[in-house]
Amino acid sequence: MTKPTMEDVARAAGLSRALVSLVMRGSDKVSDTSRERVLTAAAELGYRPNLAARHLASKRSLTIGLVLNDLHNPFFPEVADGVHAAATEAGYRVLINSGYLRGALEREAVESFIDLGVDGVLLAGARIGASDLEQLAARVPVTVIGRHLRSTSVDTVNNDDLAGGRLATEHLIELGHQRIVHIDGGQGAGSSQRRSGYSAAMRDHGLEPEVISAQFTEEAGLRAGRRLAGRPKPPEAIFVANDLAAVGVLGALADHGLRVPDDLSVVGYDNTSLAGIHHISLTSIDQDRQNMGRLAVEVLLERIGGGRRGAVHHVIAPSLVRRATSAAR
Amino acid sequence: MTKPTMEDVARAAGLSRALVSLVMRGSDKVSDTSRERVLTAAAELGYRPNLAARHLASKRSLTIGLVLNDLHNPFFPEVADGVHAAATEAGYRVLINSGYLRGALEREAVESFIDLGVDGVLLAGARIGASDLEQLAARVPVTVIGRHLRSTSVDTVNNDDLAGGRLATEHLIELGHQRIVHIDGGQGAGSSQRRSGYSAAMRDHGLEPEVISAQFTEEAGLRAGRRLAGRPKPPEAIFVANDLAAVGVLGALADHGLRVPDDLSVVGYDNTSLAGIHHISLTSIDQDRQNMGRLAVEVLLERIGGGRRGAVHHVIAPSLVRRATSAAR
DNA sequence: ACAGCACTTGACAGCGCTGTCGGAGCCGAT
DNA sequence: ATCGGCTCCGACAGCGCTGTCAAGTGCTGT
């Protein structure tokens, strides 16, 4: 029992293959009765067009590839929801791949999509370097989510990480904290901007910034948190570069008997589902991930459509969500 | 700047296209010098074989499709890690799709993979009905993870949910609890077995089982938790069908001022990263997800290879991980 | 009865690759 | 000199579909 082809459908419907092709492509120059016959014949046979063949012949696949930096970070699935919704509406199918937090695998994932012939690639939280991205964009339409790029060929969709970093820091300053430490996200997307926002806000208020280098993972947060908690005089507040790391920090603090927010406040970033969990209740900076996903698809499809040459850089405003981990001193 | 084809590589290398094809397919009847020349020419041109064309011609794609039921549940990314590792080792590429918790979308995801021409499909936490799965398996090799099926055409990889349900329940009984309620996972994969394990264990100890119907989501757990917490006499312990829902339950209990584990104990299932978070520290039943992912790939590749006709059903033993949400009364 | 229109056909070239063959060229071994 | 054994070539027939075109077909209206 091999898969039916167009030929089979045409025979079953008693019509020509050309007509079946037209119906499958949704042409309007087919009579309703013929369309009906083709469609029922196709349904009876369980016919589905072979995408590989279709793509080979038509140079388009109606498919976009979504590369997520890390499936374990709830941030990404939430972006994926938005992407899926928008893409589906536009008649595109979405294929997902994970970079498994490794630059090399991320690259592989993208190459794989290109080999497959997707019409465009969406990178969420890309680790790939800016110049590599530029090269990539010469081969296929690319939109990057959550990474700031001054590119003319790569579109981007971001939240304003600089403002977000500021927002978090100023929130802590307003609460009366002074010795505020930032645990950053290393090479992670948006990390440097958040760090800059933090530093700027600190200096604006005559405070000395201190940054501890880490990563966008729970594990890294845990380690950084331990270092801080182990100090003779721990900071009054910590702004952690993302929620996942913040959860690690919270764990480390608890291990050391430090109470949050009584002994010190903690603010995260992303406002992922983790932050909202009752037992965590992390004050965090929200970026509308679902919307970012949708926006990214729109931008990508514009470029695929070919209507645009220059790059578009969307920046959405982040907002503070107060929860139980931050309080006045 | 269009993509280079084999023809281009052949010309650049000064060799025939047939030879280039042989090199790309890793044939051993090519001299080392020729192979070298082809490879460097390919590298210089940035040539990569077109997968659509390759697949069309060869009837195989060296690609497997992985459909995850819900990206938001940390259980699935952890399975994905195992799948990716094993598949990569075997020279297969993995494409991911999410069912977004909806049966219809899950179906769509699978169809999409088939249209693309993947060599096999892996379903993690499938919602699709057993008979549909059977039909599916007639079209493409299928392995299901986390769902028990008495099928001769679909392979499965599971943990022993019945034993797991028992394990969780007996743990609570050993702690001296009697009024133990189970919040189940509705139609979710493995849910009915966990429920059975719970009921059997209760009856074995002369206790009356009570099941509250829910889902494998935090939201559903929250609602179910509220119902229980609102009772004049809440239960002494709750066994929740998965960690995600358990987190919801914990939130509901806390909202009602019930202390865990002082007032009542809670046990989850899956031992996901959520359970390990310090502030949650949920006692849970572990299933070795990474390993399940690997196993699923092996089984799938066996079937793809065609060496097997009958179905294989792997069942791995779950284990109890004690944490802070369960204690003696 | 005939033009005009809407639909349908069949044919063909082509997408980039696989897979298979007969045969050519070259080498060392006999 | 001869015979295999290697490599390599060129050609061909697909894979299932798209896209285009000239050439119908049947039906409508006048």
Side-chain angles (χ1 to χ4, degrees):
Chain A
M1 185 195 106
T2 173
K3 277 203 217 174
T5 73
M6 248 180 198
E7 191 75 53
D8 301 324
V9 177
R11 209 176 304 122
L15 293 166
S16 73
R17 187 177 53 195
L19 199 61
V20 176
S21 174
L22 286 178
V23 171
M24 288 305 158
R25 283 180 277 156
S27 164
D28 59 346
K29 34 191 55 185
V30 174
S31 69
D32 290 345
T33 59
S34 294
R35 182 189 315 281
E36 201 59 37
R37 265 166 70 192
V38 167
L39 256 24
T40 60
E44 267 169 27
L45 293 176
Y47 169 78
R48 297 205 114 222
N50 177 324
L51 289 186
R54 165 176 284 185
H55 164 235
L56 194 56
S58 75
K59 317 305 271 161
R60 50 190 310 218
S61 57
L62 288 181
T63 302
I64 66 183
L66 170 61
V67 179
L68 303 177
N69 171 56
D70 176 22
L71 285 177
H72 296 274
N73 182 342
F75 175 78
F76 294 105
E78 292 169 19
V79 170
D81 286 347
V83 168
H84 178 263
T88 304
E89 279 170 24
Y92 275 74
R93 123 192 52 247
V94 177
L95 256 25
I96 302 174
N97 228 316
S98 170
Y100 302 92
L101 274 174
R102 308 233 312 265
L105 294 183
E106 196 170 293
R107 266 217 90 83
E108 250 320 298
V110 177
E111 292 296 345
S112 189
F113 276 145
I114 296 182
D115 297 347
L116 250 175
V118 298
D119 292 338
V121 173
L122 238 40
L123 289 168
R127 267 185 151 52
I128 300 180
S131 65
D132 284 355
L133 283 174
E134 208 76 43
Q135 277 180 254
L136 212 59
R139 299 202 281 150
V140 67
V142 174
T143 296
V144 171
I145 303 173
R147 171 92 172 274
H148 300 266
L149 244 41
R150 236 185 316 281
S151 164
T152 55
S153 54
V154 179
D155 301 312
T156 62
V157 174
N158 281 289
N159 88 115
D160 189 339
D161 288 295
L162 194 71
R166 256 210 136 81
L167 209 54
T169 312
E170 280 169 355
H171 167 61
L172 291 169
I173 293 174
E174 272 167 30
L175 289 173
H177 302 298
Q178 301 207 318
R179 286 182 301 104
I180 305 170
V181 173
H182 176 50
I183 294 179
D184 86 351
Q187 302 299 312
S191 172
S192 72
Q193 281 78 8
R194 293 174 197 177
R195 190 168 49 229
S196 302
Y198 157 80
S199 297
M202 290 294 276
R203 294 226 178 74
D204 284 356
H205 290 79
L207 300 172
E208 190 58 36
E210 180 188 353
V211 175
I212 304 241
S213 177
Q215 298 262 342
F216 279 155
T217 63
E218 189 181 343
E219 180 58 25
L222 189 70
R223 279 197 302 271
R226 282 201 190 118
R227 281 176 57 191
L228 287 178
R231 289 187 181 173
K233 198 175 173 190
E236 294 166 7
I238 306 177
F239 163 40
V240 193
N242 83 341
D243 286 354
L244 205 57
V247 165
V249 170
L250 288 178
L253 297 180
D255 281 344
H256 281 73
L258 290 170
R259 293 162 309 160
V260 175
D262 304 333
D263 295 329
L264 82 181
S265 290
V266 174
V267 174
Y269 206 112
D270 288 347
N271 188 34
T272 56
S273 55
L274 278 179
I277 289 175
H278 188 287
H279 287 63
I280 296 178
S281 194
L282 177 70
T283 294
S284 188
I285 304 294
D286 182 71
Q287 35 179 336
D288 188 344
R289 303 166 289 286
Q290 186 111 6
N291 211 18
M292 287 170 70
R294 298 193 76 97
L295 219 50
V297 170
E298 282 170 26
V299 167
L300 185 66
L301 293 187
E302 269 174 46
R303 188 175 283 273
I304 291 174
R308 181 156 44 70
R309 47 169 97 256
V312 164
H313 300 289
H314 279 289
V315 178
I316 68 170
S319 62
L320 176 74
V321 177
R322 287 160 212 254
R323 291 206 186 81
T325 57
S326 61
R329 44 175 304 201
Chain B
M1 185 195 111
T2 174
K3 277 202 216 173
T5 73
M6 244 179 202
E7 190 74 53
D8 301 325
V9 176
R11 210 175 306 122
L15 293 166
S16 74
R17 187 177 54 195
L19 201 60
V20 176
S21 175
L22 285 178
V23 171
M24 289 304 158
R25 283 180 276 155
S27 164
D28 58 347
K29 32 193 56 184
V30 175
S31 68
D32 289 345
T33 59
S34 294
R35 181 190 314 283
E36 202 58 39
R37 265 166 70 193
V38 167
L39 256 24
T40 60
E44 268 168 26
L45 293 177
Y47 169 79
R48 298 205 114 223
N50 177 325
L51 290 186
R54 166 176 283 185
H55 164 236
L56 194 56
S58 75
K59 316 307 271 163
R60 50 192 309 222
S61 58
L62 288 180
T63 302
I64 66 182
L66 170 61
V67 179
L68 303 177
N69 172 56
D70 176 22
L71 286 178
H72 296 275
N73 183 342
F75 175 78
F76 294 106
E78 292 169 20
V79 170
D81 286 348
V83 168
H84 178 262
T88 304
E89 279 170 24
Y92 275 73
R93 126 193 50 247
V94 177
L95 255 25
I96 303 175
N97 229 315
S98 171
Y100 301 92
L101 275 173
R102 308 234 310 266
L105 295 183
E106 195 170 293
R107 265 217 91 83
E108 249 322 299
V110 177
E111 292 295 345
S112 190
F113 277 145
I114 296 182
D115 296 347
L116 249 177
V118 298
D119 292 339
V121 173
L122 237 40
L123 288 168
R127 267 186 150 51
I128 300 181
S131 66
D132 284 355
L133 284 173
E134 208 76 43
Q135 277 179 253
L136 212 59
R139 299 202 281 151
V140 67
V142 174
T143 296
V144 171
I145 303 173
R147 172 93 171 272
H148 301 267
L149 244 41
R150 235 184 317 281
S151 165
T152 55
S153 54
V154 179
D155 300 313
T156 62
V157 174
N158 282 287
N159 88 116
D160 190 339
D161 289 294
L162 194 71
R166 256 209 135 81
L167 209 54
T169 311
E170 280 169 356
H171 167 60
L172 291 169
I173 293 174
E174 273 166 28
L175 289 172
H177 302 297
Q178 302 208 317
R179 285 182 302 106
I180 306 170
V181 173
H182 176 50
I183 294 179
D184 86 351
Q187 302 300 313
S191 171
S192 72
Q193 281 80 6
R194 293 176 197 176
R195 189 169 51 230
S196 301
Y198 156 80
S199 297
M202 290 294 277
R203 294 225 178 74
D204 284 357
H205 290 78
L207 300 173
E208 190 59 35
E210 179 189 353
V211 175
I212 303 241
S213 178
Q215 297 263 341
F216 280 154
T217 64
E218 190 182 343
E219 180 59 24
L222 189 69
R223 279 197 301 272
R226 282 201 191 117
R227 280 176 57 190
L228 288 179
R231 290 186 181 173
K233 198 174 173 191
E236 294 167 6
I238 306 176
F239 163 39
V240 193
N242 84 341
D243 285 355
L244 204 56
V247 165
V249 171
L250 289 178
L253 298 180
D255 281 343
H256 280 73
L258 290 170
R259 293 162 309 160
V260 174
D262 304 334
D263 297 327
L264 81 182
S265 290
V266 175
V267 174
Y269 206 113
D270 287 347
N271 188 32
T272 56
S273 55
L274 278 179
I277 290 176
H278 189 287
H279 287 62
I280 296 179
S281 194
L282 177 70
T283 294
S284 188
I285 303 295
D286 182 72
Q287 33 179 338
D288 189 343
R289 302 166 288 287
Q290 187 112 7
N291 211 18
M292 286 170 71
R294 298 194 75 98
L295 218 51
V297 170
E298 283 170 25
V299 167
L300 186 65
L301 292 187
E302 269 174 45
R303 188 175 282 272
I304 291 174
R308 181 156 45 70
R309 47 169 98 255
V312 165
H313 301 287
H314 279 289
V315 178
I316 68 170
S319 62
L320 176 74
V321 177
R322 289 160 212 252
R323 291 208 185 82
T325 55
S326 61
R329 44 176 304 202

